[in-house]
Amino acid sequence: MQDEFGRTIDYMRISVTDRCNLRCLYCMPETGVENIGHDQILRFEEIERVVRAAAALGFRKFRLTGGEPLVRNGILRLVEKLADIEGVEDLTMTTNGVLLDKMAAKLKAAGLKRINVSLDTLRPERFRAITRGGEISAVLRGIQAAEDAGLAPVRLNVVALHGFNDDEILDFAEITKKKPFDIRFIELMPIGSTGERGQFISTQDIRKALWEYIPLVDRTGVAEYVRYPGAPGRVGLISPISSHFCGSCNKIRLTADGKIKTCLHSNREVDIRPALRENDGASLLNVLEKAVREKEERHYINEGEAPVARGMNKIGG
Ligand code: SAM
Ligand code: SF4
């Protein structure tokens, strides 16, 4: 469906939990997280009803995220149910990959199309530091399992962090010479209480580091891709901050506790649980439709807008 600014909104990111088995420095508060109570979290049957309503309004792409989606019990059952809904053309997931090794083939069989794995460094000790204790070997096995399962193209998301991984840009790019992966560098966003502003690097700076090595092959609304000549994979640059792509934004988010967020950088949230309780279908459609129609025109971060209060783990990145 279209919003007030004529944008077609057809993509929903669904956070299935705010819990996570890692504690990335820029995502989770240093003091740990206060989890939402189990009774506050949408049940699978409720998520299914929201997806049915969204599909009826013209939504076609759905991404499961979190927190860490693979720690939610029964996630395969949810994937199966959602993949079966008429109108759901593209069902994907963003994961930290820790549990992917054993899940990749099952996710594919349940109907998941593709997968994004977040990986900010290729070095075990740096991985341990940025995730506060994670083991990179599990993630690397997970990525291999995703490739083997045909969750293609596998995408690796790398948050670019000044003084942390800016010396690994070419190491990451090197992977695309051998693997048919999209490796995407993403700008750090000022979200929640944890955004380390001093670590921000713009994708323009990353592009400069790559420019002399790889030509640009593709540009879409939200991403630029470059490819080494003859390479099976691509390197992508995603710049939500430096060149905000609000004019072509096509998505909304559903948080694990049942709030619709129509802009990542806005504090406006629409609670859909009252409509879910109505149990008549029409209320849910109305609430969703109104929320989408009133989607924010753009963010104002570059003009000094304050970061939103919810951390990324509680929104669904
Ligand atoms: N746990 C899963 C994962 O890490 O892929 C899914 C949820 S996580 C919140 C989704 C994505 O958001 C990850 O790629 C993570 O790196 C990214 N992210 C979290 N906080 C961010 C921030 N402040 N700026 C940019 N990306 C962020
Ligand atoms: Fe967990 Fe993903 Fe946040 Fe890292 S980025 S703490 S893996 S939710």
Side-chain angles (χ1 to χ4, degrees):
M1 67 168 282
Q2 294 217 321
D3 70 2
E4 274 176 2
F5 303 100
R7 294 172 296 195
T8 298
I9 313 298
D10 61 359
Y11 179 18
M12 181 184 277
R13 289 195 185 211
I14 302 167
S15 174
V16 296
T17 178
D18 63 330
R19 290 164 199 246
C20 187
N21 46 3
L22 295 180
R23 292 282 180 276
C24 300
L25 290 174
Y26 53 76
C27 177
M28 294 267 192
E30 203 148 11
T31 47
V33 284
E34 211 181 281
N35 289 128
I36 310 168
H38 280 296
D39 53 332
Q40 300 288 309
I41 300 285
L42 291 187
R43 288 175 283 137
F44 284 168
E45 170 267 328
E46 291 173 316
I47 295 177
E48 214 186 308
R49 281 167 58 204
V50 176
V51 169
R52 272 185 207 286
L57 289 174
F59 279 73
R60 294 292 170 258
K61 294 186 267 184
F62 296 85
R63 173 173 297 277
L64 302 178
T65 179
E68 173 48 41
L70 294 182
V71 304
R72 173 101 191 234
N73 268 339
I75 187 74
L76 289 169
R77 220 174 350 111
L78 181 68
V79 171
E80 240 166 44
K81 290 270 188 203
L82 300 188
D84 251 10
I85 292 174
E86 201 183 319
V88 174
E89 288 172 3
D90 198 31
L91 181 63
T92 60
M93 179 180 282
T94 298
T95 171
N96 61 29
V98 170
L99 300 174
L100 192 54
D101 184 13
K102 296 213 163 48
M103 300 282 280
K106 291 177 190 161
L107 286 165
K108 175 74 182 178
L112 198 77
K113 285 256 163 67
R114 287 173 288 110
I115 204 145
N116 287 10
V117 182
S118 307
L119 181 64
D120 300 329
T121 174
L122 297 169
R123 305 192 190 177
E125 69 289 359
R126 285 189 185 178
F127 187 80
R128 235 170 265 132
I130 191 92
T131 60
R132 297 194 182 96
E135 283 303 323
I136 197 172
S137 52
V139 181
L140 299 178
R141 283 198 304 276
I143 292 168
Q144 186 57 54
E147 189 188 5
D148 295 344
L151 288 166
V154 173
R155 278 182 175 168
L156 300 191
N157 285 349
V158 185
V159 177
L161 297 163
H162 180 64
F164 175 72
N165 59 8
D166 42 353
D167 57 348
E168 293 187 62
I169 291 169
L170 288 176
D171 295 346
F172 271 110
E174 199 65 22
I175 297 173
T176 63
K177 288 182 177 171
K178 298 189 201 91
K179 296 280 190 184
F181 295 171
D182 280 347
I183 298 195
R184 311 180 332 146
F185 293 102
I186 298 172
E187 288 176 342
L188 179 68
M189 293 182 277
I191 286 176
S193 54
T194 50
E196 313 251 339
R197 296 317 111 76
Q199 290 196 295
F200 177 82
I201 320 177
S202 74
T203 45
Q204 280 92 320
D205 288 334
I206 298 169
R207 195 187 303 139
K208 269 187 230 144
L210 290 167
W211 207 238
E212 53 181 304
Y213 302 99
I214 345 185
L216 184 74
V217 291
D218 195 8
R219 192 192 294 264
T220 66
V222 299
E224 276 180 350
Y225 284 98
V226 294
R227 196 195 288 274
Y228 285 109
R234 303 183 299 175
V235 180
L237 304 170
I238 319 278
S239 26
I241 303 300
S242 62
S243 61
H244 65 74
F245 35 66
C246 308
S248 54
C249 183
N250 63 346
K251 64 181 159 245
I252 66 169
R253 290 176 161 81
L254 173 65
T255 68
D257 57 348
K259 308 285 187 341
I260 294 287
K261 281 188 74 75
T262 47
C263 173
L264 183 56
H265 302 289
S266 161
N267 279 315
R268 183 176 88 114
E269 298 180 349
V270 178
D271 192 349
I272 52 149
R273 279 172 307 178
L276 277 168
R277 282 194 288 271
E278 295 279 325
N279 228 349
D280 62 356
S283 317
L284 191 54
L285 273 175
N286 288 341
V287 171
L288 254 182
E289 188 174 19
K290 182 167 183 299
V292 173
R293 218 177 329 106
E294 293 174 358
K295 180 173 158 70
E296 295 77 351
E297 184 177 16
R298 51 167 294 202
H299 70 66
Y300 294 90
I301 289 172
N302 297 333
E303 288 86 344
E305 183 180 40
V308 291
R310 271 180 189 255
M312 199 66 151
N313 67 304
K314 286 206 157 66
I315 299 174

